[in-house]
Each structure stands twice: as structure tokens, then as C-alpha cells.
Amino acid sequence: MPKIAIVYYSGFGHTKAVAEHVQKGAASIAGIDAVLISADDLPEADADRNLGGRWNELSEADAIVFGAPTYMGSMAAGLKRVFETASAVWFQQGWKDKIAAGFTNGGSTSGDKVNTLQDIWHNCMQHGMVWVGVGDLSNGNTPESINRMGSFSGAMAQSDNASPEETPPAGDRETAERFGARIAEAVVRWSA
Ligand SMILES: Cc1cc2nc3c(=O)[nH]c(=O)nc-3n(C[C@H](O)[C@H](O)[C@H](O)COP(=O)(O)O)c2cc1C
């Protein structure tokens, strides 16, 4: 069964909520196994340079989707650490030809979030992965709209200063689900 791993870092739970919707969308496609993996479950390499925790699930996956909040105009350090640890995988090109995609979440509708997506993209390109973008036109800029921020390279969400149960809004959650489904459809075609 094709497997999609959704790797996320979330300081306060909002990006985790987005990740859960990406997973829901991916799992909605028949035959897809979609798992959530917190950055906290991807530890540093040990003294023998072995990667423990849930790193083996990334080796097995057909696709890896990376998500992080935007902090100070760039990828939050929790996910950046994962990518730096993954340099051990890069040496072997262990993720080459896996499908890749990215998402981010911030307090602002802009907030320089595109820089986070570009940073995720650069990392995935260094690994020789195959990038999948959003593929949805924006249908408005209300909290209920699909792709309200008009982001095509990866999915964006915006969260207010409230609990993850309240924010990001429904449209961003639906955008994340549609994004997850699109990635899963790409995996099905790529694996065929
Ligand atoms: C240290 C820090 C820096 C931030 N910088 C930005 C930023 O540059 N752009 C933005 O849109 N939001 C920024 N925010 C807001 C967060 O991205 C926002 O609160 C987000 O929902 C946090 O997601 P999380 O709950 O998954 O950590 C920042 C928040 C923190 C704590």
C-alpha cells in the first residue's frame, strides 16, 4: 500500500491541525496509508550515525510532506533541525524520487510564508524528490475560501491568536485536505 508520511513541527498546535487535515485528505484516496510524524519523533543521529525514532518510516514512504509554522519569516527551527539531520540521508540520496510537498502556517496572510515553502522546496530538491504543488485556484479571500492566500508552491494557512480548535479557519483546513488528496493522487500515479 503506498504510504505518505506527513512530517510536521508545531510550537502551539496550529500547524499540527493543518497537518491533520493534510492527512485526512491523503487518507481519503483509496489504497493510501497516510501517517503523521511529529518532528519530535525524528531524533538526532546516534554516535554511530544511525537514525532512530520514526526515521525508518520516512525511508519506507512513497511521499513525504513537510509542514512548519513560519517563524521570523522562515521555517521554524523544529523542522529545520529535521532537514539538517536528514543530511545523513542526503549522502545516500535515500529519498530520491519520492514525492514531496510542503505547507506552512503563520499569523499573517503574508508574513513572508512563501520563504518557508521555498526553504522546504530547496531541501526536497537537494534530496532529488519530485515536488507536488497545490493545484487549486483561489475562489475568494474569505476564511471559508479555498486557497484564499493564492499559494501554489505549497499550502498556506493563517491562524489568529486563538486556540487550534478555533483557528486556522475552515477554508484553510479544506485547502489542506484538498492538498493532501492531490498528493495522494500523485502518489498513486507515480507508483503505478
Ligand atoms: C517566534 C515567532 C515568530 C513568528 N514569526 C512569524 C512570521 O514571520 N510570519 C507569520 O506570518 N507569523 C509568524 N508567527 C506567528 C506563527 O506563525 C503563528 O502563531 C502560527 O499559528 C504558529 O503555529 P504553531 O501553533 O504550529 O506553532 C511567529 C510566531 C512566533 C512564536
Side-chain angles (χ1 to χ4, degrees), residues 9-16 69-74 105-113 159-160:
Y9 171 76
S10 183
F12 306 94
H14 302 87
T15 310
K16 181 181 181 187
T70 295
Y71 288 172
M72 300 311 292
S74 60
N105 166 58
S108 302
T109 47
S110 171
D112 294 325
K113 293 197 297 289
S159 298
D160 296 332

Side-chain angles (χ1 to χ4, degrees), residues 2 35 49 65 85-86 88 116 125 155 183:
V35 296
R49 298 189 177 185
V65 188
T85 305
T116 299
M125 293 302 97
I183 296 160

Side-chain angles (χ1 to χ4, degrees), residues 12 23 40 42 59 65 67 79 93 95 99 103 112 120 129 131-132 134 136 140 149 157 165 170 188 190:
F12 306 94
Q23 180 197 27
D40 297 335
L42 300 169
S59 303
V65 188
L79 186 64
Q93 286 288 282
W95 292 348
I99 297 275
F103 61 92
D112 294 325
I120 293 171
M129 302 173 86
W131 190 256
V132 175
V134 168
D136 267 330
M149 286 164 276
E165 286 72 38
V188 169
W190 188 241

Side-chain angles (χ1 to χ4, degrees), residues 14-159:
H14 302 87
T15 310
K16 181 181 181 187
V18 180
E20 288 168 348
H21 285 276
V22 173
Q23 180 197 27
K24 184 178 174 187
S28 73
I29 302 302
I32 289 287
D33 179 24
V35 296
L36 278 178
I37 300 179
S38 165
D40 297 335
D41 294 329
L42 300 169
E44 302 295 301
D46 66 17
D48 296 322
R49 298 189 177 185
N50 293 317
L51 294 171
R54 298 184 69 184
W55 280 99
N56 63 322
E57 293 184 56
L58 302 187
S59 303
E60 295 162 2
D62 298 278
I64 310 175
V65 188
F66 298 95
T70 295
Y71 288 172
M72 300 311 292
S74 60
M75 182 196 311
L79 186 64
K80 178 74 172 164
R81 180 197 62 76
V82 168
F83 277 121
E84 291 183 7
T85 305
S87 61
V89 180
W90 175 85
F91 276 110
Q92 313 299 328
Q93 286 288 282
W95 292 348
K96 187 172 184 181
D97 293 340
K98 292 183 189 295
I99 297 275
F103 61 92
T104 189
N105 166 58
S108 302
T109 47
S110 171
D112 294 325
K113 293 197 297 289
V114 72
N115 191 47
T116 299
L117 295 176
Q118 288 175 341
D119 206 4
I120 293 171
W121 173 78
H122 275 121
N123 276 280
C124 294
M125 293 302 97
Q126 291 217 359
H127 283 278
M129 302 173 86
V130 178
W131 190 256
V132 175
V134 168
D136 267 330
L137 294 177
S138 174
N139 67 359
N141 58 11
T142 72
E144 294 76 34
S145 300
I146 299 297
N147 195 8
R148 67 181 164 125
M149 286 164 276
S151 177
F152 300 103
S153 51
M156 284 186 183
Q158 179 273 326
S159 298

